[in-house]
Amino acid sequence: MRNFIYLCCAFLIWCGSPASAALPTSQKENIDIVIQKNAHQRIQFGARKVAEALNEAGYKTKIQHQNHFQSRANTILIAEKNTPQGANLLKLEGSGNNSLNHKEGFLLNSHQNNKAVIVGADATGALYGCLELIEQIAGSSKLPQSLSLSDHPEMVLRGTSIGMQKPTELPGRGMYEYPYTPEDFPWFYDKSLWIKYLDMMVENRYNSLYLWNGHPFSSLVKVKEYPYALEVSEETFKKNEEVFRFLTEEADKRGIWVIQMFYNIIIPKPFAEKHGLATQDRNRPIIPIIADYTRKSIAAFVEKYPNVGLLVTLGEAMEGTGQDDVDWFTETIIPGVKDGLRALKTDMQPPIVLRAHDTDAPRVMKESLPIYKNLYTMAKFNGEALTTYTPRGSWAELHRRLSRIGTVHVQNVHILANLEPFRYGSADFIQKSVQAMHDIYESNAIHIYPQASYWDWPYAADKAKDRLYQVDRDAIWYKAWARYAWNSRRDRNNEVSYWSGQLGNTFGAGQKAGENILKAYEETGEIAPKLLRRYGITDGNRQTLTLGMTMTQLINPFRYNLFTMLYESEAPEGEMIIEYAEKDWNKQAHIGETPVRVADEVLVHGRKAIEAIDAASQSVTLNKDEFARLRNDVYSYNELAAFYSAKVQAALSVLRYKYSEDIADLERALPLLEKSVVHYRKLADLTKDTYLYANSLQTKHRKIPMRGVDATYKHWVEVLPVYEKELAHFRRSIDSMKNPAAAQGTARLTVYRNAPVKLLNSRLKFFTVQKGAKIYADTSLQIQEFAPEIAGLKGVQLSKKDQVKNGTAIEFSTSRPVKVLVGFYNEKRPGLLGPPDLEHDVSANDFGQSEIKIANALLAGTYAPVNVHSYSFPVGKHTLKLAKGACVILGFVDAGDRVRLYDAGIGVKGNKKDIDWLFE
């Protein structure tokens, strides 16, 4: 492995200016590096790295451990401020420095005759001073003779993430259930890979490493009362113990705090099977035996690994916000940590980070701070994407509320589903994002995910002879976030010069070519954020932006469970496609960033990026294979931009037809849609031999543009036929409208058919979907209007009051596969059950229920219209369990029924014309 300053990377070298040739050893002096006898291991580590750098530059070095520090020639003195040695050094060097009043700050002075002094505000600060000296040595291949600088980080926590997860679910297990085993995570046991990664982290001054897993405890600790909960063999358990200790010890040397993340409530499979429980059940109440096991697991973990923090996700695997979240955190998790501390006979509280995902984090913190002080909060910066450095709205307000609690609030740059798999290195976008974390969110800590392929760690998605490591491929990603987490206020002109030099050195191309490479990164860096924030369905992991979108997703996004916060909080003020079309027809003024503006801008970004990368290509002399991959990414982004631009313009013409009913609008859309397919075909060609996949999560949770079941529809080559078929269908639709004998622009009606099932609760009764029918047993609420496809279905008449208080549970048996049709009200109101939500609930598609089958399908009373979803069940006895809140059980239908997905427009004001049929 190469020296860590060079990022251990054969093809990317993110260091400073190229070092001049080292003088022969005989012409350079011997250097003593002096640290105190009981120096912290981080100072010892830093001293060793300084020695290595000096040795490489041609010096001979010796590390001295002594408590008497003497300033003399050929000596480097290293100490912490709050030690006698540090205090004496500060007297010798003058008064204290402001940076030494900040955690991890340092002072570095050097003088003639090879004298240097490093004083850290703490052990980590001293280490960072060593790293700064190493960079100075690397820049000139000698020890600087006249240097005076000090520095400290803006953000108190600067972390990276590694997922102990996989692209697909393990057989017989649910999402996030991945025990630590050599079979599933061979890289976890590779110590050289850990050293490589930790060295990257310390070079970039990261100080926290988050390991994400659903339930790690059953792989890392044994619980005396529940020995059967262990999910790995004894041999693997011993390996896990040894590797985890190795990891935490090596991380601590580098000033890195390891934080173990876990979800709630997930239990080990052997524990679940012994007690007849599901490993995950979002709708179950807190069960005493699960609470006891979890508390004891956490206690055992804290006792065994006292220097490891915890990151807690209360939501997702347990039901949303509510009292259960508060109780679980205050009565199970925190007591478990305290139990572990009692066993250690210490009151030194390890930090606990509360993730504000699918939970009322301010409420939980209010209840928790009186009983546990060392708490942090965390929330996603732009959802599971990177969309803007101008966040606003309710999400920004939540961040500010958390920041103002008085504890440290961490910005989580999460999965980045809109960026994968292409390279991303826009230093400008990243710098502005970090500034927004300070200025808009009032936050002071950061935690970044891998730029792409999170679920496939440690590999990148590139199709190469040997799999590329993410840490190598995406070095600029890690370096940029770390650089601005340390100092986000750097001068833009200086930053252009800095990054141009970095990139020029990496590819042996010089400063000017480096500037062009940076320009290519920054132009492509605007494309994916703009596309998603103006055209997307969600900021979440269920959409793969780079695989495109269908026409119905563009013209009828609400049918696909549009996540409106994407537009309200994670985008500049502007308009969705459907809003723009309506305003355009009504000749109303447009506001902010519009779909047309973005369609034009991304074309310009793509063209400028190609011009820049091509201008640099002739100067490249190093790492040519990597440059070719980067150049191919730039060309891919250009085709992606052109695809979306043409398709969005086609969508606007189609939406205009919705108002005009003029077939000429459809005819204007046709060549634009044809153009979009041409560009997508080029995109598929550019990626067919260069990428293994577009999305690293390859499960049923992927929904847009296509449902990604069993690793399908993960590549552009697979999706291209979908768009070609869509185009062909549109051509036929136009032709049929020109033919007077054709139907009047509507699809042939197909209806759902009742399937014979037996309700196992004799108290339940059926109702028939018809006008005037009562949908609840305890209210007078009646059906007013409904879509013809659901007419005559036999729904289940439940108690609305019971649904709100206890949730829904319907036991039934069936001799054939069936789907249960469930209607969710299209509004947020107390007492109403929200629809399946993959943004917050990973189990929201376990029964195929996340997609709306018929939008706005039924109207009852003063409530909003009902959207129909379906839950699939095989032959046998089953229980449909839903969370607390009112919904409508519309009936049981044959699993083979295929009714066209569309928006029936029942109860919707304005233009309700169905145009989805034009494309499917």
Side-chain angles (χ1 to χ4, degrees):
M1 183 184 72
R2 300 186 61 176
N3 185 285
F4 79 103
I5 278 295
Y6 295 95
L7 195 53
C8 331
C9 165
F11 61 89
L12 287 177
I13 307 175
W14 295 103
C15 58
S17 303
S20 58
L23 294 172
T25 302
S26 60
Q27 298 182 33
K28 292 192 174 181
E29 295 82 354
N30 296 338
I31 303 291
D32 287 336
I33 302 171
V34 182
I35 59 178
Q36 67 186 71
K37 290 183 178 180
N38 61 341
H40 194 285
Q41 63 175 345
R42 293 171 197 168
I43 295 178
Q44 296 180 49
F45 179 85
R48 289 196 300 272
K49 291 302 180 181
V50 170
E52 291 173 9
L54 287 170
N55 292 340
E56 192 168 311
Y59 297 88
K60 287 187 176 180
T61 60
K62 183 178 181 180
I63 297 176
Q64 306 258 7
H65 294 78
Q66 57 189 48
N67 289 335
H68 178 67
F69 278 25
Q70 182 178 358
S71 179
R72 60 178 184 268
N74 303 321
T75 304
I76 300 171
L77 305 173
I78 308 171
E80 294 180 63
K81 179 182 74 170
N82 294 325
T83 62
Q85 293 80 11
N88 288 334
L89 289 178
L90 289 177
K91 287 181 182 179
L92 290 173
E93 297 297 318
S95 60
N97 181 276
N98 180 56
S99 286
L100 296 180
N101 296 326
H102 297 268
K103 287 183 64 175
E104 303 179 332
F106 65 87
L107 170 71
L108 168 60
N109 288 346
S110 68
H111 309 282
Q112 296 294 326
N113 301 320
N114 294 327
K115 294 196 296 183
V117 168
I118 297 170
V119 180
D122 46 35
T124 306
L127 168 59
Y128 290 163
C130 292
L131 298 180
E132 180 62 38
L133 179 59
I134 290 167
E135 291 186 358
Q136 297 289 332
I137 294 168
S140 61
S141 199
K142 63 181 182 180
L143 188 66
Q145 299 298 295
S146 179
L147 180 67
S148 179
L149 61 85
S150 61
D151 208 353
H152 67 274
E154 282 183 336
M155 286 191 161
V156 296
L157 277 181
R158 306 168 305 281
T160 66
S161 155
I162 289 178
M164 296 292 293
Q165 329 245 38
K166 297 182 73 64
T168 56
E169 294 178 6
L170 297 179
R173 291 184 177 274
M175 197 64 182
Y176 305 131
E177 296 178 33
Y178 301 106
Y180 295 9
T181 67
E183 295 76 23
D184 290 318
F185 301 105
W187 57 266
F188 179 71
Y189 306 89
D190 185 343
K191 293 182 179 179
S192 64
L193 183 60
W194 277 122
I195 293 297
K196 175 178 181 173
Y197 187 78
L198 294 173
D199 281 347
M200 177 280 293
M201 291 186 68
V202 72
E203 180 199 348
N204 287 307
R205 285 39 161 197
Y206 285 112
N207 64 3
S208 46
L209 169 61
Y210 299 77
L211 302 180
W212 286 62
N213 185 268
H215 186 77
F217 307 117
S218 54
S219 295
L220 296 171
V221 295
K222 293 179 180 179
V223 181
K224 181 177 62 176
E225 294 84 352
Y226 303 99
Y228 49 85
L230 188 68
E231 289 199 273
V232 298
S233 68
E234 286 292 337
E235 180 184 7
T236 296
F237 178 71
K238 290 177 181 177
K239 289 181 181 178
N240 292 347
E241 284 183 310
E242 198 268 331
V243 169
F244 205 77
R245 285 201 180 97
F246 165 83
L247 169 61
T248 54
E249 289 169 3
E250 289 296 325
D252 189 48
K253 291 177 187 176
R254 294 161 175 82
I256 299 167
W257 163 37
V258 175
I259 305 165
Q260 180 64 65
M261 176 270 179
F262 61 101
Y263 286 96
N264 290 286
I265 302 172
I266 298 178
I267 55 178
K269 189 176 181 181
F271 179 93
E273 290 173 344
K274 182 174 180 63
H275 294 284
L277 300 168
T279 55
Q280 300 183 49
D281 184 351
R282 182 176 170 85
N283 301 314
R284 68 184 164 203
I286 295 175
I287 298 173
I289 193 169
I290 294 180
D292 186 65
Y293 162 74
T294 304
R295 178 173 175 169
K296 287 183 168 63
S297 293
I298 293 170
F301 184 84
V302 170
E303 182 180 1
K304 191 171 188 177
Y305 307 107
N307 297 319
V308 178
L310 294 173
L311 168 59
V312 181
T313 297
L314 286 177
E316 192 144 0
M318 69 185 293
E319 181 189 345
T321 61
Q323 187 61 38
D324 279 358
D325 288 24
V326 175
D327 292 345
W328 190 252
F329 197 65
T330 59
E331 297 177 11
T332 298
I333 293 174
I334 291 177
V337 174
K338 288 184 171 181
D339 291 345
L341 297 178
R342 275 192 290 273
L344 288 169
K345 295 181 172 58
T346 180
D347 57 2
M348 293 291 292
Q349 294 181 344
I352 304 175
V353 185
L354 171 67
R355 184 170 170 235
H357 175 71
D358 195 24
T359 192
D360 187 348
R363 176 184 175 187
V364 176
M365 287 291 285
K366 181 180 179 181
E367 297 289 332
S368 303
L369 279 170
I371 61 174
Y372 197 91
K373 298 303 181 185
N374 200 9
L375 295 178
Y376 296 68
T377 56
M378 175 187 289
K380 297 173 182 174
F381 176 60
N382 282 164
E384 296 177 344
L386 187 63
T387 59
T388 186
Y389 42 77
T390 59
R392 58 195 180 94
S394 61
W395 194 241
E397 184 55 36
L398 172 64
H399 278 276
R400 286 191 289 269
R401 285 182 67 195
L402 294 172
S403 294
R404 292 170 184 173
I405 286 174
T407 60
V408 173
H409 179 52
V410 185
Q411 293 298 313
N412 181 197
V413 182
H414 208 65
I415 281 170
L416 297 315
N418 65 323
L419 301 187
E420 64 175 0
F422 304 131
R423 287 156 177 76
Y424 191 93
S426 176
D428 183 45
F429 202 106
I430 291 172
Q431 182 176 16
K432 289 175 179 175
S433 295
V434 178
Q435 289 171 350
M437 294 174 183
H438 289 289
D439 299 340
I440 300 176
Y441 285 165
E442 302 176 5
S443 185
N444 198 33
I446 193 171
H447 162 37
I448 68 164
Y449 264 49
Q451 186 256 299
S453 300
Y454 164 77
W455 301 94
D456 198 19
W457 182 269
Y459 302 109
D462 302 74
K463 185 186 289 185
K465 182 180 178 182
D466 297 311
R467 292 292 302 272
L468 303 184
Y469 285 115
Q470 292 179 37
V471 67
D472 293 337
R473 192 199 86 149
D474 299 321
I476 189 172
W477 172 262
Y478 291 106
K479 191 171 187 70
W481 286 105
R483 181 172 176 83
Y484 299 120
W486 184 276
N487 180 5
S488 66
R489 310 299 176 178
R490 302 174 193 267
D491 177 76
R492 169 63 178 163
N493 292 328
N494 292 342
E495 289 307 284
V496 170
S497 177
Y498 171 81
W499 289 109
S500 299
Q502 294 280 298
L503 290 163
N505 291 342
T506 296
F507 294 108
Q511 186 80 10
K512 179 59 179 176
E515 189 172 335
N516 277 317
I517 297 170
L518 176 64
K519 183 174 179 59
Y521 266 128
E522 295 193 337
E523 293 292 345
T524 57
E526 294 286 344
I527 292 174
K530 286 183 176 181
L531 291 176
L532 186 68
R533 75 190 189 207
R534 200 46 57 203
Y535 310 144
I537 300 293
T538 172
D539 68 358
N541 208 16
R542 64 184 170 102
Q543 175 166 6
T544 306
L545 175 84
T546 53
L547 286 178
M549 293 172 67
T550 66
M551 281 295 284
T552 56
Q553 287 162 355
L554 294 173
I555 66 175
N556 191 5
F558 286 100
R559 171 179 147 184
Y560 296 90
N561 290 338
L562 177 69
F563 188 63
T564 55
M565 187 179 288
L566 170 62
Y567 294 91
E568 296 162 355
S569 288
E570 296 157 6
E573 185 178 20
E575 298 171 4
M576 293 187 293
I577 295 172
I578 53 177
E579 291 173 326
Y580 183 94
E582 183 176 11
K583 284 188 174 185
D584 200 54
W585 176 255
N586 292 322
K587 295 182 172 53
Q588 295 174 325
H590 295 290
I591 299 173
E593 186 179 72
T594 66
V596 171
R597 188 175 112 189
V598 167
D600 293 337
E601 287 177 352
V602 293
L603 289 178
V604 175
H605 289 312
R607 174 178 55 78
K608 288 183 176 180
I610 282 184
E611 290 172 355
I613 203 71
D614 285 349
S617 61
Q618 296 302 312
S619 302
V620 172
T621 62
L622 297 175
N623 305 313
K624 292 184 176 181
D625 288 346
E626 173 59 17
F627 182 82
R629 287 188 283 262
L630 172 60
R631 186 168 180 262
N632 192 73
D633 280 0
V634 171
Y635 272 75
S636 296
Y637 259 126
N638 181 61
E639 296 301 334
L640 182 71
F643 160 79
Y644 270 105
S645 180
K647 196 157 190 174
V648 165
Q649 293 178 69
L652 288 169
S653 287
V654 170
L655 285 168
R656 184 174 181 81
Y657 163 77
K658 184 175 182 178
Y659 301 96
S660 71
E661 298 188 352
D662 185 350
I663 197 171
D665 288 323
L666 299 182
E667 291 177 318
R668 278 188 284 271
L670 181 58
L672 291 167
L673 191 58
E674 290 171 337
K675 184 179 179 182
S676 75
V677 173
V678 169
H679 286 294
Y680 198 88
R681 195 173 289 123
K682 291 179 181 177
L683 178 58
D685 190 57
L686 284 167
T687 55
K688 67 180 181 181
D689 296 321
T690 57
Y691 278 102
L692 298 169
Y693 53 78
N695 47 38
S696 58
L697 179 60
Q698 296 158 14
T699 70
K700 57 182 176 291
H701 305 95
R702 288 284 188 182
K703 300 293 294 182
I704 299 164
M706 303 299 296
R707 190 180 181 206
V709 180
D710 298 329
T712 55
Y713 293 110
K714 64 182 181 180
H715 199 283
W716 300 264
V717 172
E718 292 177 275
V719 179
L720 175 60
V722 174
Y723 297 140
E724 292 174 331
K725 182 179 178 181
E726 179 184 66
L727 173 61
H729 194 289
F730 186 47
R731 284 198 191 103
R732 289 195 301 271
S733 296
I734 294 175
D735 289 343
S736 70
M737 294 174 69
K738 290 179 178 179
N739 181 355
Q744 295 285 318
T746 57
R748 183 171 62 87
L749 179 67
T750 56
V751 299
Y752 282 114
R753 300 167 297 167
N754 285 303
V757 299
K758 182 179 180 181
L759 296 180
L760 301 181
N761 186 335
S762 59
R763 292 179 298 172
L764 296 179
K765 297 180 180 179
F766 289 107
F767 71 91
T768 301
V769 176
Q770 60 187 8
K771 192 169 184 178
K774 288 179 57 178
I775 57 177
Y776 296 115
D778 57 347
T779 76
S780 59
L781 201 64
Q782 295 180 350
I783 296 175
Q784 297 174 347
E785 193 178 355
F786 53 90
E789 289 84 356
I790 61 173
L793 288 181
K794 298 294 184 181
V796 181
Q797 198 177 60
L798 300 171
S799 162
K800 181 173 179 287
K801 181 179 179 180
D802 191 57
Q803 280 189 312
V804 173
K805 182 179 179 180
N806 301 312
T808 299
I810 300 175
E811 297 181 1
F812 67 94
S813 63
T814 175
S815 59
R816 66 175 70 173
V818 297
K819 291 184 290 192
V820 185
L821 300 186
V822 181
F824 296 93
Y825 294 98
N826 195 5
E827 66 175 319
K828 290 184 179 180
R829 188 191 289 192
L832 299 184
L833 178 60
D837 178 12
L838 279 169
E839 259 66 48
H840 301 100
D841 177 9
V842 73
S843 66
N845 200 40
D846 285 356
F847 300 91
Q849 74 269 33
S850 69
E851 186 174 56
I852 296 176
K853 300 304 180 184
I854 304 177
N856 300 303
L858 181 143
L859 187 65
T862 60
Y863 287 99
V866 163
N867 294 333
V868 177
H869 295 247
S870 70
Y871 291 68
S872 297
F873 292 92
V875 173
K877 292 183 179 180
H878 306 285
T879 301
L880 172 68
K881 293 181 66 176
L882 302 174
K884 297 174 184 177
C887 61
V888 186
I889 308 301
L890 290 165
F892 300 81
V893 301
D894 194 281
D897 279 359
R898 293 290 182 267
V899 172
R900 185 175 67 88
L901 281 63
Y902 81 110
D903 186 343
I906 303 297
V908 177
K909 296 180 180 179
N911 192 308
K912 300 190 293 184
K913 187 178 182 67
D914 170 30
I915 55 174
D916 291 10
W917 68 273
L918 291 165
F919 303 98
E920 57 187 23

